Amino acid sequence: QVQLAESGGGLVQPGGSLRLSCTASGGISIRNAMRWYRQAPGKQHEFVASISAIGITKYADSVKGRFIISRDSTKNTVYLQMDSLEPEDTAVYYCNQPRTFGDAYWGQGTQVTVSS
């Protein structure tokens, strides 16, 4: 059972906050590089944030200063703290782990909706 499972999405008002979680199982280690992507209706997957195996983080320009990626290795979980949410943040959010060989692992996604 190789699995990435996202949770924490929901409906929030503009300016609100959410914390997404992605828990790995089935031999996947959250200590390796992890990424967050999102997909809005009618659009392709968009890079959001990443954290390397040694803790280096990167963010899309659209979320810099508002989102923070982190991990808790004891829980095998990576987080995405999202503050000052805007309507354009509305999307399905996915966690992703690249692999040395073969396609990356993907979670099933969690819906984030930012609306009044």
Side-chain angles (χ1 to χ4, degrees), residues 36-40 43-49 60-63 88 91 93-94:
W36 284 97
Y37 285 82
R38 65 187 182 186
Q39 186 173 34
K43 297 183 178 180
Q44 294 183 316
H45 283 90
E46 175 190 19
F47 171 80
V48 176
D61 288 342
S62 60
V63 306
E88 288 203 340
Y93 284 71
Y94 300 89

Side-chain angles (χ1 to χ4, degrees), residues 1-6 22-28 76 105-108:
Q1 186 185 54
V2 178
Q3 184 176 344
L4 296 173
E6 302 96 335
C22 175
T23 299
S25 62
I28 300 176
N76 216 26
Y105 294 117
W106 289 88
Q108 294 182 339

Side-chain angles (χ1 to χ4, degrees), residues 27-116:
I28 300 176
S29 176
I30 214 72
R31 299 173 188 173
N32 298 129
M34 296 294 299
R35 301 163 175 164
W36 284 97
Y37 285 82
R38 65 187 182 186
Q39 186 173 34
K43 297 183 178 180
Q44 294 183 316
H45 283 90
E46 175 190 19
F47 171 80
V48 176
S50 66
I51 183 167
S52 76
I54 59 173
I56 299 173
T57 58
K58 295 181 180 179
Y59 299 93
D61 288 342
S62 60
V63 306
K64 286 181 180 178
R66 300 189 297 119
F67 292 9
I68 298 175
I69 186 171
S70 63
R71 65 172 145 228
D72 184 343
S73 296
T74 65
K75 298 180 179 180
N76 216 26
T77 298
V78 64
Y79 302 97
L80 184 67
Q81 177 67 45
M82 306 185 295
D83 297 326
S84 301
L85 284 163
E86 303 169 352
E88 288 203 340
D89 296 317
T90 296
V92 178
Y93 284 71
Y94 300 89
C95 64
N96 165 286
Q97 183 178 83
R99 297 167 63 192
T100 303
F101 301 103
D103 293 338
Y105 294 117
W106 289 88
Q108 294 182 339
T110 185
Q111 176 71 49
V112 172
T113 303
V114 185
S115 176
S116 299

